Amino acid sequence: MKTELEQKLFEKYPKIFGDRTKPKTESCMCWGLEVCDGWYDLIDILCEALTHTYTTSVPVDKEDGERLGITPYINKKDGEAINYFKVGPPQVIATQVKEKFGTLRFYYRFELDEKNTSLVETEKYPAIEKANERFYNYIEGIIHFAETASGRTCEATGQLGELHSRGGWLKTLNKQFAKT
C-alpha cells in the first residue's frame, strides 16, 4: 500500500496499528500493510467496525467495586447499592496485514484492560469471561467478513473483483485490470 494511504490508516486507528513501530522480532507490522491500494477502503471499514462496538455491564461485589472505583448504582425500588462493572471490548492490535492467496489476511491479538483482567483473575465473575468470549467471537466475525469480502474486491482498484492466476500468483482483480 502507498505510504500516504498507510499513514492515514495508522493515524486514524493508532491503537489497532500500535505495533507498527515494534521490531520484526516482536511484530510483522514493521513491514506495514502488505497489500495493494485497492483494499484501503476495506481495511478502513474493518478498523472502523473494530473500533465502534458495544459494551455490557456485570454486577461485582462491594469489595471489587470499591477497589476499582466503581460508583454504585442505587436501585430505586429497594435502595440497594449495586456495583456494575462496564465490560468493554478488548483492544484489537494488528500483528500483520497482508495478502495471501489473493485474499486479505488480518492477523491480530487481543488486549484487555487491566480492570477486566483483574476481575477475571479472581475467578468470581464467569459473566465477565462470557462477555469477553462474546466480544472475541464478534470481532473474529468482523475480521472474517472483511477477509471474505477481499476475495470480491480488486486489490488494485477497489472495484468488484474475482480471483485470477497471474504468473503462478493468485490475485483478486477486476476483469479490466486483469487484462492489463
Side-chain angles (χ1 to χ4, degrees):
M1 181 172 288
K2 289 180 190 162
T3 304
E4 59 268 14
L5 292 177
E6 194 175 69
Q7 278 307 119
K8 283 174 71 173
L9 291 170
F10 291 169
E11 288 170 14
K12 193 172 180 181
Y13 307 105
K15 291 181 180 178
I16 292 174
F17 297 113
D19 281 2
R20 71 186 179 283
T21 57
K22 288 189 174 181
K24 63 184 175 185
T25 56
E26 295 179 35
S27 175
C28 292
M29 283 307 300
C30 64
W31 290 294
L33 303 178
E34 302 173 89
V35 299
C36 295
D37 296 347
W39 285 346
Y40 172 84
D41 286 332
L42 184 62
I43 294 170
D44 185 31
I45 292 167
L46 166 62
C47 292
E48 185 173 340
L50 294 174
T51 302
H52 301 291
T53 185
Y54 65 95
T55 61
T56 188
S57 296
V58 173
V60 296
D61 64 29
K62 183 179 179 182
E63 177 186 338
D64 286 325
E66 288 174 357
R67 177 175 63 86
L68 298 175
I70 297 171
T71 303
Y73 165 78
I74 307 300
N75 187 333
K76 292 179 183 175
K77 290 183 181 177
D78 61 11
E80 180 184 0
I82 305 170
N83 295 295
Y84 284 106
F85 173 67
K86 181 180 170 184
V87 183
Q91 178 60 55
V92 175
I93 300 171
T95 57
Q96 186 175 27
V97 180
K98 68 179 188 175
E99 174 275 327
K100 186 174 183 178
F101 302 122
T103 59
L104 175 68
R105 296 295 190 272
F106 190 94
Y107 299 107
Y108 59 95
R109 63 185 171 85
F110 291 121
E111 205 170 81
L112 292 169
D113 73 32
E114 291 177 19
K115 290 180 180 181
N116 185 314
T117 302
S118 74
L119 288 171
V120 168
E121 287 173 350
T122 68
E123 297 182 357
K124 296 191 292 187
Y125 306 106
I128 294 174
E129 291 183 60
K130 286 179 184 175
N132 289 338
E133 189 64 33
R134 285 192 304 271
F135 282 126
Y136 299 150
N137 292 335
Y138 177 79
I139 289 166
E140 287 167 0
I142 292 169
I143 292 169
H144 178 73
F145 181 84
E147 290 176 338
T148 302
S150 72
R152 295 180 178 203
T153 307
C154 177
E155 313 175 28
T157 66
Q159 298 173 348
L160 186 62
E162 57 188 36
L163 206 57
H164 293 270
S165 180
R166 261 187 147 177
W169 295 96
L170 294 174
K171 298 290 235 176
T172 300
L173 303 168
N174 70 38
K175 289 180 183 182
Q176 296 298 85
F177 196 84
K179 291 178 186 177
T180 61

PDB file of all heavy atoms in Angstrom, residues 45-56:
ATOM      1  N   ILE A  45     -12.892   0.310   6.661  1.00  0.00           N
ATOM      2  CA  ILE A  45     -14.197  -0.122   7.186  1.00  0.00           C
ATOM      3  C   ILE A  45     -14.013  -1.186   8.266  1.00  0.00           C
ATOM      4  O   ILE A  45     -14.690  -1.162   9.302  1.00  0.00           O
ATOM      5  CB  ILE A  45     -15.095  -0.635   6.042  1.00  0.00           C
ATOM      6  CG1 ILE A  45     -15.477   0.530   5.127  1.00  0.00           C
ATOM      7  CG2 ILE A  45     -16.335  -1.346   6.577  1.00  0.00           C
ATOM      8  CD1 ILE A  45     -16.087   0.105   3.802  1.00  0.00           C
ATOM      9  N   LEU A  46     -13.095  -2.120   8.041  1.00  0.00           N
ATOM     10  CA  LEU A  46     -12.802  -3.150   9.041  1.00  0.00           C
ATOM     11  C   LEU A  46     -12.378  -2.511  10.355  1.00  0.00           C
ATOM     12  O   LEU A  46     -12.909  -2.837  11.424  1.00  0.00           O
ATOM     13  CB  LEU A  46     -11.706  -4.093   8.528  1.00  0.00           C
ATOM     14  CG  LEU A  46     -11.042  -5.017   9.545  1.00  0.00           C
ATOM     15  CD1 LEU A  46     -12.046  -5.970  10.173  1.00  0.00           C
ATOM     16  CD2 LEU A  46      -9.907  -5.791   8.891  1.00  0.00           C
ATOM     17  N   CYS A  47     -11.428  -1.586  10.293  1.00  0.00           N
ATOM     18  CA  CYS A  47     -10.925  -0.946  11.512  1.00  0.00           C
ATOM     19  C   CYS A  47     -12.002  -0.109  12.196  1.00  0.00           C
ATOM     20  O   CYS A  47     -12.074  -0.070  13.427  1.00  0.00           O
ATOM     21  CB  CYS A  47      -9.694  -0.103  11.202  1.00  0.00           C
ATOM     22  SG  CYS A  47      -8.266  -1.099  10.736  1.00  0.00           S
ATOM     23  N   GLU A  48     -12.842   0.539  11.397  1.00  0.00           N
ATOM     24  CA  GLU A  48     -13.944   1.312  11.983  1.00  0.00           C
ATOM     25  C   GLU A  48     -14.890   0.376  12.741  1.00  0.00           C
ATOM     26  O   GLU A  48     -15.310   0.680  13.858  1.00  0.00           O
ATOM     27  CB  GLU A  48     -14.707   2.068  10.897  1.00  0.00           C
ATOM     28  CG  GLU A  48     -15.771   2.979  11.458  1.00  0.00           C
ATOM     29  CD  GLU A  48     -16.423   3.854  10.401  1.00  0.00           C
ATOM     30  OE1 GLU A  48     -15.841   4.057   9.325  1.00  0.00           O
ATOM     31  OE2 GLU A  48     -17.535   4.334  10.678  1.00  0.00           O
ATOM     32  N   ALA A  49     -15.212  -0.761  12.150  1.00  0.00           N
ATOM     33  CA  ALA A  49     -16.094  -1.734  12.815  1.00  0.00           C
ATOM     34  C   ALA A  49     -15.442  -2.279  14.086  1.00  0.00           C
ATOM     35  O   ALA A  49     -16.131  -2.517  15.081  1.00  0.00           O
ATOM     36  CB  ALA A  49     -16.443  -2.876  11.861  1.00  0.00           C
ATOM     37  N   LEU A  50     -14.132  -2.455  14.078  1.00  0.00           N
ATOM     38  CA  LEU A  50     -13.431  -2.950  15.264  1.00  0.00           C
ATOM     39  C   LEU A  50     -13.360  -1.895  16.355  1.00  0.00           C
ATOM     40  O   LEU A  50     -13.244  -2.218  17.532  1.00  0.00           O
ATOM     41  CB  LEU A  50     -12.010  -3.397  14.890  1.00  0.00           C
ATOM     42  CG  LEU A  50     -11.893  -4.598  13.966  1.00  0.00           C
ATOM     43  CD1 LEU A  50     -10.438  -4.831  13.581  1.00  0.00           C
ATOM     44  CD2 LEU A  50     -12.496  -5.846  14.603  1.00  0.00           C
ATOM     45  N   THR A  51     -13.434  -0.639  15.965  1.00  0.00           N
ATOM     46  CA  THR A  51     -13.340   0.470  16.914  1.00  0.00           C
ATOM     47  C   THR A  51     -14.675   0.771  17.564  1.00  0.00           C
ATOM     48  O   THR A  51     -14.744   1.077  18.747  1.00  0.00           O
ATOM     49  CB  THR A  51     -12.817   1.737  16.193  1.00  0.00           C
ATOM     50  OG1 THR A  51     -11.542   1.436  15.624  1.00  0.00           O
ATOM     51  CG2 THR A  51     -12.672   2.901  17.145  1.00  0.00           C
ATOM     52  N   HIS A  52     -15.750   0.691  16.790  1.00  0.00           N
ATOM     53  CA  HIS A  52     -17.081   1.055  17.291  1.00  0.00           C
ATOM     54  C   HIS A  52     -17.900  -0.201  17.505  1.00  0.00           C
ATOM     55  O   HIS A  52     -18.511  -0.717  16.589  1.00  0.00           O
ATOM     56  CB  HIS A  52     -17.781   1.989  16.303  1.00  0.00           C
ATOM     57  CG  HIS A  52     -17.009   3.237  16.053  1.00  0.00           C
ATOM     58  ND1 HIS A  52     -16.843   4.215  17.004  1.00  0.00           N
ATOM     59  CD2 HIS A  52     -16.317   3.663  14.964  1.00  0.00           C
ATOM     60  CE1 HIS A  52     -16.105   5.184  16.514  1.00  0.00           C
ATOM     61  NE2 HIS A  52     -15.766   4.875  15.276  1.00  0.00           N
ATOM     62  N   THR A  53     -17.880  -0.684  18.730  1.00  0.00           N
ATOM     63  CA  THR A  53     -18.633  -1.886  19.058  1.00  0.00           C
ATOM     64  C   THR A  53     -19.486  -1.596  20.288  1.00  0.00           C
ATOM     65  O   THR A  53     -19.724  -0.442  20.620  1.00  0.00           O
ATOM     66  CB  THR A  53     -17.677  -3.082  19.219  1.00  0.00           C
ATOM     67  OG1 THR A  53     -18.443  -4.274  19.422  1.00  0.00           O
ATOM     68  CG2 THR A  53     -16.691  -2.920  20.338  1.00  0.00           C
ATOM     69  N   TYR A  54     -19.933  -2.581  20.977  1.00  0.00           N
ATOM     70  CA  TYR A  54     -20.846  -2.402  22.092  1.00  0.00           C
ATOM     71  C   TYR A  54     -20.141  -2.666  23.425  1.00  0.00           C
ATOM     72  O   TYR A  54     -19.014  -3.145  23.466  1.00  0.00           O
ATOM     73  CB  TYR A  54     -22.039  -3.352  21.939  1.00  0.00           C
ATOM     74  CG  TYR A  54     -21.657  -4.821  22.026  1.00  0.00           C
ATOM     75  CD1 TYR A  54     -21.752  -5.511  23.225  1.00  0.00           C
ATOM     76  CD2 TYR A  54     -21.187  -5.504  20.908  1.00  0.00           C
ATOM     77  CE1 TYR A  54     -21.400  -6.850  23.316  1.00  0.00           C
ATOM     78  CE2 TYR A  54     -20.833  -6.837  20.983  1.00  0.00           C
ATOM     79  CZ  TYR A  54     -20.940  -7.502  22.188  1.00  0.00           C
ATOM     80  OH  TYR A  54     -20.578  -8.817  22.272  1.00  0.00           O
ATOM     81  N   THR A  55     -20.814  -2.306  24.525  1.00  0.00           N
ATOM     82  CA  THR A  55     -20.340  -2.638  25.867  1.00  0.00           C
ATOM     83  C   THR A  55     -21.492  -3.309  26.604  1.00  0.00           C
ATOM     84  O   THR A  55     -22.643  -3.250  26.169  1.00  0.00           O
ATOM     85  CB  THR A  55     -19.893  -1.387  26.653  1.00  0.00           C
ATOM     86  OG1 THR A  55     -21.009  -0.506  26.788  1.00  0.00           O
ATOM     87  CG2 THR A  55     -18.741  -0.672  25.968  1.00  0.00           C
ATOM     88  N   THR A  56     -21.174  -3.917  27.718  1.00  0.00           N
ATOM     89  CA  THR A  56     -22.195  -4.516  28.569  1.00  0.00           C
ATOM     90  C   THR A  56     -21.752  -4.298  30.016  1.00  0.00           C
ATOM     91  O   THR A  56     -20.636  -3.847  30.261  1.00  0.00           O
ATOM     92  CB  THR A  56     -22.382  -6.016  28.239  1.00  0.00           C
ATOM     93  OG1 THR A  56     -23.514  -6.512  28.958  1.00  0.00           O
ATOM     94  CG2 THR A  56     -21.157  -6.843  28.577  1.00  0.00           C
TER      95      THR A  56
END
